[in-house]
Amino acid sequence: MNKIYVGIDLGGTNIKIGVVSNGQIIAQTALPAHAELPMQKNLPGIRDAINALLKSANLSHTDLGGVGISFPSVVDNQAKRILTKYVKFPGAESVDFNQWSMDCWNVPVALENDARAALVAEWQYGSGKGYKNIVLVTLGTGFGSAVLIDGQLFRGAHHAGGNLGGHTIINFKGQPCNCGARGCMETEASGWVLDEKWKIDPEFRESKLADEPQISFVKVFEWAAQDAFANKILSHSLHAWSANIFNLVHHFDPQIVIMGGGIMKSGDKIIPQIQKFLDDNIWQGSGVVKVVPATHTDFAGMLGMAYLASL
Ligand SMILES: [Zn+2]
């Protein structure tokens, strides 16, 4: 029998785990992330969930060929270490995931940045199939990005290549960012910045959004057609995303841009605007670079990591 691979998507809210065979998820589960606890303390729960999943699929440790883990941070895939702190899972940089996996199942770990994992899933099994030059962005709490160049994941000299699209400066006179810089993409349009950026606007009190416990993109899209302030936020956000994706397209010259992440539930209102902005402005020409939605909205991380674990 072919080996099966486990893909783990370590997110700040949920830890998604899938058992994957030939690109098909044959068993999966999600655990609540105890993201305020040290990474090390989350590992026993993950191990137990994997063992339970294998058992539920009538599989044993010997069927397992490898474990892949995606993480929302800069990752050294060769050394299999997390390089930069994430706001959650403290101590993740000092965890030896490979040793953990060897101790649990005697198989190696593949470790990769979460946006790269999503890109691999789309490239192998989704919207990016057949393409060799892809930019993937995820719109959610933050703005994630990853790049495939000539059929290879772009990693750069310090493992951050293509992954810092949320922290490219698009407004050098803008607000301070949580990364220490000013005017990053995420300070202009991202889930985490909505509340602090817009609640101080004088027009906020007149808006329907003032009746909501917090400003979310779900509510912004809901009210945009009838509420001037919600429409102002939406228009600003679409311009910011367009400008940043324009920059990524100019830097990496992809064939397609794949857009995923939670905010893309409203993708039908986002993609046409981004596509038009690119068609009107990029040097590659109108209609040359297609903007498409991601195929694997919920399971990209586990699929991509299972694939990388199989290499
Ligand atoms: Zn930043």
Side-chain angles (χ1 to χ4, degrees):
M1 162 181 176
N2 284 340
K3 291 285 185 188
I4 52 103
Y5 297 87
V6 167
I8 305 172
D9 181 351
L10 274 180
T13 310
N14 289 306
I15 298 171
K16 297 178 193 168
I17 305 171
V19 175
V20 179
S21 173
N22 294 321
Q24 300 292 321
I25 297 169
I26 56 176
Q28 48 126 333
T29 189
L31 315 174
H34 298 292
E36 70 293 349
L37 294 178
M39 186 71 246
Q40 198 80 46
K41 287 212 184 314
N42 277 273
L43 292 179
I46 297 171
R47 176 201 60 207
D48 293 347
I50 291 173
N51 286 337
L53 265 189
L54 291 173
K55 201 172 170 194
S56 74
N58 288 322
L59 295 163
S60 79
H61 294 187
T62 54
D63 299 312
L64 188 58
V67 171
I69 303 174
S70 72
F71 196 80
S73 153
V74 177
V75 169
D76 179 345
N77 75 307
Q78 291 297 312
K80 305 183 181 188
R81 303 300 284 223
I82 288 163
L83 297 184
T84 54
K85 281 201 171 92
Y86 171 50
V87 286
K88 294 172 177 174
F89 298 117
E93 317 90 84
S94 57
V95 171
D96 185 342
F97 289 95
N98 197 58
Q99 191 60 52
W100 168 72
S101 178
M102 292 302 288
D103 291 346
C104 293
W105 306 284
N106 200 31
V107 294
V109 142
L111 192 66
E112 193 48 277
N113 165 271
D114 60 341
R116 285 201 194 118
L119 189 155
V120 167
E122 295 297 332
W123 173 42
Q124 290 299 316
Y125 312 118
S127 305
K129 217 169 171 180
Y131 293 96
K132 287 187 168 180
N133 291 279
I134 303 171
V135 165
L136 173 133
V137 300
T138 58
L139 306 187
T141 309
F143 181 107
S145 63
V147 176
L148 188 82
I149 296 178
D150 296 333
Q152 302 282 330
L153 282 174
F154 176 53
R155 293 198 166 89
H158 310 96
H159 312 284
N163 287 157
L164 300 181
H167 299 278
T168 50
I169 294 170
I170 59 169
N171 177 5
F172 69 89
K173 292 180 179 173
Q175 292 170 238
C177 183
N178 59 13
C179 76
R182 184 177 279 275
C184 292
M185 169 71 239
E186 291 192 2
T187 66
E188 292 296 326
S190 68
W192 70 261
V193 87
L194 271 181
D195 241 30
E196 60 183 84
K197 184 177 181 68
W198 295 101
K199 272 192 176 166
I200 54 172
D201 190 294
E203 292 172 39
F204 171 66
R205 287 176 187 205
E206 307 302 318
S207 166
K208 294 286 185 194
L209 293 173
D211 301 333
E212 304 291 343
Q214 69 176 68
I215 305 177
S216 68
F217 272 110
V218 172
K219 293 296 171 189
V220 168
F221 278 103
E222 207 173 294
W223 285 110
Q226 43 192 311
D227 183 275
F229 186 68
N231 191 49
K232 178 175 157 178
I233 297 177
L234 181 57
S235 173
H236 180 90
S237 302
L238 285 167
H239 271 108
W241 292 326
S242 296
N244 201 43
I245 291 169
F246 166 98
N247 289 345
L248 289 167
V249 167
H250 272 191
H251 285 139
F252 299 110
D253 195 17
Q255 295 161 287
I256 57 166
V257 175
I258 301 174
M259 298 187 70
I263 296 172
M264 291 305 290
K265 290 193 173 77
S266 303
D268 57 330
K269 298 188 182 79
I270 298 172
I271 285 184
Q273 303 261 2
I274 309 275
Q275 183 72 66
K276 182 170 189 321
F277 189 90
L278 294 186
D279 286 345
D280 289 350
N281 294 291
I282 59 171
W283 284 38
Q284 288 93 333
S286 180
V288 173
V289 179
K290 294 271 174 266
V291 184
V292 298
T295 304
H296 299 287
T297 46
D298 288 326
F299 306 117
M302 64 174 75
L303 273 175
M305 286 321 303
Y307 175 81
L308 290 173
S310 75
L311 297 180

